[in-house]
Amino acid sequence: MASATEALFAQPLLLLGGAVVAAPIFRKLGLGTVLGYLAAGVVIGPVLHLIGGSGEILAVAELGVVLLLFIIGLELKPTRLWHMRRDIFGLGATQVVLTGLVLTGVVIASGLLDWRGALVAGFGLALSSTAFALQLLEDYGDMNSRYGQRSFSILLFQDLAIVPLLAMVSVLGGPGGEAQQSPLIEIAVAIGAVIAMIMAGRYLLTPLFQVIARTGAREVMIAAALFVVLGSAFVMQLAGLSMAMGAFLAGVMLAESSYRHELEADIEPFRGLLLALFFIAVGLSMELQVIVDNMLLILVAVPVLMIAKAITLYGICRVAGSPHRDALRIGLLLPQGGEFGFVLFTTAAAGGVLSNAQGSLLISIVTLSMALTPLSALIGQRLLARETSEREELEEDFEGAGSDVLMIGFSRFGQIAAQILLASGRDVTIIDDSADRVRQAAAFGFRIYFGDGTRLDVLRAAGIEKAKIVAICTHKKETTSKIVELIQSECPEMRIYARSYDRVHSIELRSRDVEYEVRETLESGLLFGRRTLEGLGVSEDEAYEIGEDIRRRDEERLKLQAQEGIQAGRELMHQRPVKPEPLVKPKRPVQSVEAEDTVAAE
């Protein structure tokens, strides 16, 4: 009993200790946390043999991938997912089919497997690792970039493709394998399960969380969130789909729920820890003896796999309209084998399509390609001269927070606005996610805290309940919009003042009923224009009147654009010299191509 208890505590301590030691070291070296977790797993398992088997650990750790897909689903409303349909079913399907055929041809040409085994190996290796790719996108902050969205679309289709691929293995196994039902029945069951999940999410999940929220017990809400995620994952697994797909669908169904931010905050700690455990478990599962026995073959096979997939992905993305930089990033992000390769090769070995030795060899190739993925992605970033300096983080400490104004973001815009507020004697609580800015601002006596303003728990800790106004001064429009949506969902009565990026963003914020928004360049542009006129000899009063005329016209044009579209109100723009008074509408409006481009891009 004592030894069993010691083992129960020893394994988690080793895994957590490995993560704590390896992740900071590899992050400091610029190699990323994923490679650190892999290295920790290799050292703990195959090298030092401190932990024997990795099967059970990997099975539990796969829940990290499940929770990751749930959180991503929460960020993707069904309408947005519909807009991605061409990338998912067009680009994704093309990638799986074309890459699978290319790799099948390579395997047949090598003479290592017959045509049936080559078909399974080719399409199994065509699948990429969802966990590795999405974690790297998060590390780089590129999840919402165009290439990040296309990468996610490809990965999402690969999750769907596992059903027909498993059916293909069943057919290839023939009469010698276990008795199977018709592949068409398996596909029909999977489609029925997806439809049932969508219906349950649409009509059951939100009422469920409404009932639980009334209890006011936070731990019950956390339990309910985990129940929904794991339950949906289990149902999809029973239907033959991946657990990650079930969690993703549950997230999408809750994306428009008023509880989605609360759910994201509840799930996030479990997701991060379990995903780290998954990468460590992959390292634990490396069979060094198999690698040593087939060293020459693996040294050739892994680079061939990654190069073939990278070239194919690059070509497909270029044909689909991606610029060179994005196509190269996608190619170097998704060249590895994936978790579903483990499932496919194990099933093929059980069905007699592959021998056990061949299955183990393919799994070793997939594992090594996973381990090399952070390096290939890093090479892609370096080749494109992308800034890869890691953001320093500080401990989140909100002691003493809570003021009339909660300011989110403290770059140049926020610093100037804060001066006005502080000069009036008002208290301002500021949060920013840049460690350097926090340190510098604190040195000047500002009440500033390190934290991510897109997280509900951070806003609460910073005293949003005590604030009369939230001033959102972040410089990325995606971040600003996300914070606005979060606050309006959780604190619908809160007054929001926001910095907008351009005209389109201003119109979007107005449509969300933000109390006040201002474009970051409007006032400085008006002042600059007035001072230039004065430098040309125009009187200060006349320059001021001209500036106010432009301001009025700009406001009228914004209102028209909000109602009729971005091209509305062009007649309100000046195309030739006019006097501020009286305001005379030109008899013949003149609109240059350059002006239209300027308006659209402003």
Side-chain angles (χ1 to χ4, degrees):
M1 178 65 72
S3 60
T5 304
E6 289 174 4
L8 181 65
F9 283 98
Q11 288 194 2
L13 281 174
L14 283 172
L15 295 172
L16 292 173
V20 168
V21 172
I25 293 175
F26 276 73
R27 192 178 183 90
K28 188 70 174 177
L29 294 174
L31 299 175
T33 57
V34 174
L35 202 57
Y37 296 137
L38 277 172
V42 172
V43 171
I44 293 171
V47 175
L48 299 180
H49 302 289
L50 298 176
I51 296 180
S54 63
E56 294 181 0
I57 296 173
L58 190 60
V60 174
E62 283 179 356
L63 294 177
V65 184
V66 170
L67 298 178
L68 173 64
L69 266 293
F70 176 72
I71 290 177
I72 291 173
L74 286 175
E75 299 294 330
L76 285 175
K77 295 181 180 179
T79 52
R80 186 178 172 191
L81 197 60
W82 177 251
H83 290 315
M84 295 168 61
R85 66 190 184 280
R86 291 183 180 176
D87 281 348
I88 295 172
F89 295 102
L91 191 60
T94 303
Q95 183 274 328
V96 171
V97 173
L98 191 58
T99 307
L101 291 176
V102 168
L103 293 175
T104 298
V106 171
V107 176
I108 290 176
S110 70
L112 296 173
L113 298 172
D114 62 13
W115 70 270
R116 296 186 309 154
L119 200 61
V120 173
F123 278 88
L125 294 173
L127 305 179
S128 303
S129 172
T130 300
F132 275 76
L134 295 184
Q135 183 63 41
L136 289 170
L137 285 173
E138 274 198 4
D139 286 348
Y140 294 138
D142 289 342
M143 190 63 222
N144 290 319
S145 65
R146 179 58 183 158
Y147 96 90
Q149 291 294 296
R150 284 208 144 173
S151 301
F152 176 72
S153 298
I154 293 171
L155 292 167
L156 186 58
F157 184 85
Q158 290 178 359
D159 283 358
L160 293 170
I162 191 63
V163 175
L165 289 180
L166 286 172
M168 178 187 74
V169 171
S170 300
V171 172
L172 293 175
E178 299 176 2
Q180 297 101 0
Q181 57 184 353
S182 167
L184 291 177
I185 295 178
E186 292 181 359
I187 294 174
V189 169
I191 293 174
V194 170
I195 294 174
M197 179 67 66
I198 292 173
M199 298 301 292
R202 189 175 184 86
Y203 298 108
L204 296 180
L205 291 185
T206 297
L208 169 67
F209 284 109
Q210 286 175 345
V211 172
I212 294 172
R214 293 193 189 102
T215 66
R218 181 172 174 80
E219 66 277 6
V220 178
M221 182 65 81
I222 296 174
L226 290 173
F227 175 78
V228 167
V229 177
L230 299 181
S232 57
F234 181 66
V235 169
M236 287 294 103
Q237 187 182 44
L238 290 179
L241 280 165
S242 68
M243 291 196 298
M245 176 58 61
F248 175 75
L249 285 175
V252 171
M253 290 303 100
L254 288 167
E256 293 181 329
S257 167
S258 58
Y259 301 98
R260 75 181 185 90
H261 297 294
E262 182 77 29
L263 292 170
E264 185 174 353
D266 290 341
I267 292 294
E268 181 64 30
F270 299 97
R271 191 277 305 177
L273 184 60
L274 287 170
L275 201 56
L277 188 61
F278 172 81
F279 297 127
I280 294 176
V282 171
L284 288 170
S285 68
M286 282 195 180
E287 297 185 19
L288 296 186
Q289 192 59 48
V290 173
I291 295 173
V292 171
D293 293 342
N294 301 275
M295 180 65 72
L296 184 59
L297 177 59
I298 290 175
L299 284 177
V300 174
V302 172
V304 167
L305 165 66
M306 298 185 75
I307 291 171
K309 285 189 74 173
I311 292 174
T312 306
L313 281 162
Y314 176 85
I316 292 170
C317 292
R318 288 291 282 160
V319 171
S322 291
H324 164 73
R325 294 171 62 87
D326 285 0
L328 186 60
R329 283 173 175 165
I330 294 171
L332 292 174
L333 180 71
L334 305 177
Q336 76 288 123
E339 307 85 43
F340 291 128
F342 299 154
V343 177
L344 203 64
F345 299 145
T346 302
T347 305
V353 181
L354 297 172
S355 68
N356 289 331
Q358 291 169 339
S360 296
L361 180 60
L362 287 171
I363 288 173
S364 297
I365 291 172
V366 169
T367 306
L368 277 177
S369 68
M370 283 181 171
L372 291 174
T373 299
L375 292 177
S376 73
L378 187 61
I379 290 171
Q381 302 297 326
R382 295 282 170 85
L383 284 176
L384 296 170
R386 185 185 188 278
E387 295 181 3
T388 54
S389 57
E390 298 290 344
R391 294 167 59 93
E392 182 185 3
E393 294 189 358
L394 300 175
E395 182 180 356
E396 294 176 355
D397 179 10
F398 296 98
E399 184 178 355
S403 304
D404 287 348
V405 178
L406 172 60
M407 179 174 288
I408 305 171
F410 201 60
S411 56
R412 292 166 297 176
F413 184 95
Q415 292 166 20
I416 295 170
Q419 286 291 299
I420 300 291
L421 296 167
L422 293 170
S424 70
R426 298 284 183 175
D427 281 337
V428 183
T429 295
I430 306 162
I431 58 176
D432 195 282
D433 61 356
S434 167
D436 287 336
R437 274 202 295 268
V438 170
R439 232 189 325 263
Q440 292 167 5
F444 284 95
F446 289 99
R447 181 184 291 178
I448 187 167
Y449 303 91
F450 177 82
D452 182 358
T454 62
R455 286 172 48 192
L456 179 61
D457 56 337
V458 169
L459 295 180
R460 285 175 172 166
I464 191 172
E465 291 90 352
K466 301 176 183 178
K468 296 178 180 177
I469 290 177
V470 175
I472 305 174
C473 301
T474 47
H475 63 278
K476 289 186 178 180
K477 58 182 179 181
E478 295 85 3
T479 305
T480 300
S481 299
K482 185 174 182 179
I483 296 172
V484 168
E485 182 182 357
L486 171 61
I487 294 174
Q488 289 184 333
S489 171
E490 302 297 330
C491 309
E493 302 302 320
M494 180 58 64
R495 301 169 64 192
I496 299 176
Y497 282 44
R499 164 194 186 180
S500 68
Y501 178 76
D502 54 18
R503 299 189 74 82
V504 175
H505 194 208
S506 289
I507 294 169
E508 177 191 338
L509 291 174
R510 291 187 179 199
S511 69
R512 294 177 180 272
D513 296 324
V514 168
E515 183 169 332
Y516 177 76
E517 56 75 30
V518 63
R519 297 199 304 283
E520 57 189 25
T521 56
L522 177 63
E523 296 299 328
S524 57
L526 288 173
L527 179 60
F528 188 86
R530 280 167 44 196
R531 291 293 183 255
T532 305
L533 280 180
E534 292 171 18
L536 293 172
V538 177
S539 69
E540 185 176 343
D541 290 342
E542 185 176 358
Y544 176 79
E545 288 300 323
I546 291 174
E548 290 303 299
D549 169 48
I550 298 299
R551 188 195 300 278
R552 286 192 296 269
R553 287 170 176 266
D554 182 82
E555 180 62 27
E556 290 176 25
R557 193 156 59 93
L558 266 178
K559 291 178 180 177
L560 287 173
Q561 288 173 325
Q563 297 172 357
E564 303 173 17
I566 196 65
Q567 296 296 328
R570 290 185 294 175
E571 69 279 359
L572 292 169
M573 295 184 65
H574 288 305
Q575 299 299 323
R576 58 185 177 82
V578 297
K579 293 182 179 180
E581 294 292 341
L583 297 177
V584 179
K585 181 178 180 181
K587 295 180 180 178
R588 187 163 58 91
V590 179
Q591 178 68 34
S592 65
V593 175
E594 291 83 355
E596 290 188 23
D597 292 343
T598 301
V599 174
E602 184 187 351

